[in-house]
Amino acid sequence: MSMAALSGTHLLQNPDHRINNFATHSHHSLVTSIRPTGPTSVRPISIKCAAVPTTTQTNDRPQAQTSSPDRVFNFAPGPATLPETVLKKAESELYVWRDSGMSVMEMSHRGKDFLSIIQKAESDLRTLLDIPEEYHVLFLQGGATTQFAALPLNLCKPEDQVDYVVTGSWGDKAFKEAQKFCTPNVIWSGKSEKYTKIPSFSELDQLQNPHARYLHICSNETIHGVEFKDYPTPKNPNGVLIADMSSNFCSKPVDVSRFGVIYAGAQKNVGPSGVTIVIIRKDLIGNAQDITPVMLDYKIQAENNSLYNTPPCYAIYMCGLVFEDLLEQGGLKEVEKKNKKKAEILYNAIEESNGFYRCPVEKSVRSLMNVPFTLEKSELEGEFIKEAAKEKMVQLKGHRSVGGMRASIYNAMSLAGVEKLVAFMKDFQSRHA
Amino acid sequence: MSMAALSGTHLLQNPDHRINNFATHSHHSLVTSIRPTGPTSVRPISIKCAAVPTTTQTNDRPQAQTSSPDRVFNFAPGPATLPETVLKKAESELYVWRDSGMSVMEMSHRGKDFLSIIQKAESDLRTLLDIPEEYHVLFLQGGATTQFAALPLNLCKPEDQVDYVVTGSWGDKAFKEAQKFCTPNVIWSGKSEKYTKIPSFSELDQLQNPHARYLHICSNETIHGVEFKDYPTPKNPNGVLIADMSSNFCSKPVDVSRFGVIYAGAQKNVGPSGVTIVIIRKDLIGNAQDITPVMLDYKIQAENNSLYNTPPCYAIYMCGLVFEDLLEQGGLKEVEKKNKKKAEILYNAIEESNGFYRCPVEKSVRSLMNVPFTLEKSELEGEFIKEAAKEKMVQLKGHRSVGGMRASIYNAMSLAGVEKLVAFMKDFQSRHA
């Protein structure tokens, strides 16, 4: 999602930062061996990094390299790194998909081949999230930002009141867009505390409007790194909970039955940009306002199985490959374990730095996906980002509205990548403390 | 676009229809040699086809094969066949793009690399269509169907009158959507003549509302195969001409300065589905209705260079590769020559069939992109489609609302593909006349 992706160090475009130049960083002074982390073979390369001894304190041996010497560790907030196995699969069948005689990008969206692709993607997603039968799964366009309008247009009359909990920039954007189509109220905002907290549910119970048509939350704020660990219940017995899950979608199991609508742009955890997934309870569709553009009408999209017009076929295909990969990993419980492990070693490195690194987010709501942190010596942040890029760890600059650094460690970021970052952080601290 | 793509024979999934089974079609009885049409090498394969002697009547030797034995000739109306050179380029850099260390699908849309991709795509498109400086070029989502709403929302007040010329199903859909947001009038419809004609401009002059905010046309109706060969002028001196060019975009030069807005889904001539290109005169933006979803607001999109939120990055990248390919072909004048040649031999084959094949469209407005035709003996249409698929020519079934056959021969359909279709048609006629 856009504001979440404003970060961007681009040092990597400078050939000086490619792996064959590592030996030039003479302040690093230890050689580690390489283990491929993916399916592709890689010729051993030695990397100098004084940080390796510290990382041996963690349970896993460090993997100092991506599976391909041409690849970097990409900590971007989205679009974000994708599983290398998925990219290799896509590469292998880009020109001709199976026995279709054509690329997925050339297939009629009404044809047997693409229908098998989109139906398999939906089926696998239903398995991953254990989505009940009474929910539609839609593959739409326009990002979560389009859903900010579609939700009130489909679920509300202009006079209907709805509640928004604003725990970050995305919740705020969702609220502002809703003002065009219904009567939304911000019942809680973390803005005065720089979006570092999430309210207690008992506090929310006091604040909720008992007549609110829905209660809207952003389950993980990409920019600020605050994440709901559980979900509030609407005070209105006829109201529903709606969550923008763009940046933690499919990062852990979720009880879908607690929500009226879950929506997510794909470009963080489940695919490339260009497709937005909407999971909506079937009884909530069919009452769109007259001014609803047909493409934003959930009833039209559901009746046409997301094929009212030509969908973003290739992006849906890529999501399908990611869903297959998540199932092969053992499903979302296993994925959550990996994500917790990655986040744990990174937050621990921050906590154990004696204040050299700092995370502003209240501990109980720190995101497993987006880890913002600052340096006590803020004047070193530029150097930190520059040196990290030289070590092939890119997109670590924090959002301009927050500053500092941010490591986005979505499903596809390997433990090896996080271990390498932690090793680098400890090494950097040892040299600048 | 969706209704345009309802066709779909899926015989190809049956292994019986793959090339190594051609020899089994014993009613064919002549061997032709293979010439690669693309960059990839191919081992010579002999194909039996009695039609070859007839095709030697055309000026070009037939190329009976795609450049890869695994590829078919795909006559789908969209998503449609893409240039094989473009697919090979995309395949070669899918896993790692240049020295970025990542796939285009993983790049931050705010990063230097993707910005270079989208800016190059816009620059090349401006060169191809000679787009004046006073026009914005936007890369949006949601297909032309989303623009059906965005146009009146951005250009009109609810009471504003606008004129629609309905020459097919897409013009009709655009009109129906506009009814939600302004006061549109259908000033001419070809429905009673099954959308086989386009009105004379003198007739349109009589029909236009002198107060119409805009005059809307669909420059090429994908389903019916009728194409504007020139463009009408709005009667209102303050009005503008708007064209949905989805199915003939970049198939020939166009004088952009005659239009207020040109819009097109990419998935026919310039890329995969998932991105829609809008070319709009700068003075037309900035007056969107209050109920306009932010993603449909041209001013927001223009001010943010199509990056208000995360765009469909990979689809934009693919369009950029296609634009480069079109420039390498010599630009749209050269592309138009090729398209005219392809259409000429196909329409000639229909005309010279003594009524065995029939095209319902009035000759002066026959589309260079979508060629619908029927068989005098309609009971043979199923057999025609089945045999064509066995010859690796797929997606020839006409739209359900029209019936018969339809050959979509967009930019990326090679002359070899059309020649093979013509050869097959003559052979089929010789066996069933």
Side-chain angles (χ1 to χ4, degrees), chain B residues 254-269:
Chain B
V254 169
D255 180 357
V256 173
S257 69
R258 293 181 60 181
F259 298 84
V261 187
I262 290 171
Y263 63 104
Q267 69 275 11
K268 281 86 161 65
N269 271 312

Side-chain angles (χ1 to χ4, degrees), chain B residues 304-355:
Chain B
N304 290 275
N305 300 309
S306 306
L307 301 173
Y308 176 70
N309 75 343
T310 315
C313 298
Y314 198 73
I316 292 168
Y317 155 77
M318 287 298 300
C319 289
L321 294 185
V322 172
F323 296 151
E324 287 178 358
D325 178 70
L326 294 175
L327 287 170
E328 284 163 12
Q329 289 183 48
L332 298 187
K333 281 184 182 171
E334 291 306 310
V335 169
E336 180 181 33
K337 285 180 192 169
K338 295 177 183 176
N339 287 330
K340 282 184 170 175
K341 172 69 177 175
K342 290 184 293 178
E344 178 188 16
I345 64 171
L346 183 48
Y347 283 116
N348 284 347
I350 293 168
E351 291 306 304
E352 296 162 1
S353 72
N354 301 315

